[in-house]
């Protein structure tokens, strides 16, 4: 093993001394640490995975940079909420379209409501709010929930 290392240095520099090996290891290590640091810095926003919007808690995960498994949870008991958007289909007036967020665990109580569209609309709105906070880094100011 050692002779291979010696050969490696001799091939490149023409000679070998022990300090060269240490210098080489030092440079390699610094390089690796820098790479890890740069990669992690870009991923920092991935710690941001919950937010309080429309009076309820939203949680999600990341796959690459995409937001997945986005759903709402009860601010009181933490259970998954039910989206009731039945009402949206019976009306064509945007201002009448309302999605209710209901907690079964708390006794079918309404925890929040969003006016303007159905659950897909709501999820798009929340996703947009999350992405906006990631883009301008304001997620760092959000209170941890
Ligand atoms: Zn609840």
């Amino acid at each position: 093993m050692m002779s291979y290392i010696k050969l490696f240095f001799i091939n490149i520099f023409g000679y070998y001394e022990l300090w060269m090996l240490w210098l080489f290891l030092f440079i390699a290590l610094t390089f690796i640490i820098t790479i890890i640091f740069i990669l992690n810095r870009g991923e920092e926003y991935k710690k941001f995975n919950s937010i309080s919007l429309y009076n309820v808690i939203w949680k999600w995960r990341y796959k690459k940079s995409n937001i997945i498994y986005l759903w709402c949870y009860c601010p009181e008991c933490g259970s998954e909420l039910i989206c009731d958007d039945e009402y949206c289909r019976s009306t064509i007036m945007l201002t009448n379209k309302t999605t209710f967020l209901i907690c079964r665990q708390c006794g079918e109580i309404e925890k929040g409501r969003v006016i303007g569209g159905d659950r897909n609309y709501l999820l798009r709105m929340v996703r947009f709010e999350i992405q906006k906070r990631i883009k301008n880094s304001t997620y760092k100011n959000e209170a941890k929930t």
Side-chain angles (χ1 to χ4, degrees), residues 3 33 43 57 89 109 116 144:
S3 58
I33 289 168
E43 308 271 279
I57 310 294
R89 273 165 238 158
I109 292 173
K144 277 275 158 204

Side-chain angles (χ1 to χ4, degrees), residues 73-81 102-107 109 111:
Y73 297 84
C74 177
E76 262 79 42
C77 71
S79 351
E80 278 188 33
L81 297 178
I102 298 155
C103 181
R104 238 179 210 167
Q105 214 64 23
C106 293
I109 292 173
K111 294 290 174 181

Side-chain angles (χ1 to χ4, degrees), residues 42-49 62-65 139:
E43 308 271 279
E44 205 198 325
Y45 70 87
K46 291 191 175 177
K47 287 177 197 156
F48 170 52
N49 56 11
Y62 295 95
K63 191 175 184 184
K64 296 207 170 133
S65 60
Y139 67 89

Side-chain angles (χ1 to χ4, degrees), residues 56 58 72 81-83 99-103 109-112 122:
V56 299
W58 296 86
C72 47
L81 297 178
I82 296 164
C83 264
T99 297
F100 298 96
L101 303 168
I102 298 155
C103 181
I109 292 173
E110 179 194 323
K111 294 290 174 181
L122 174 58

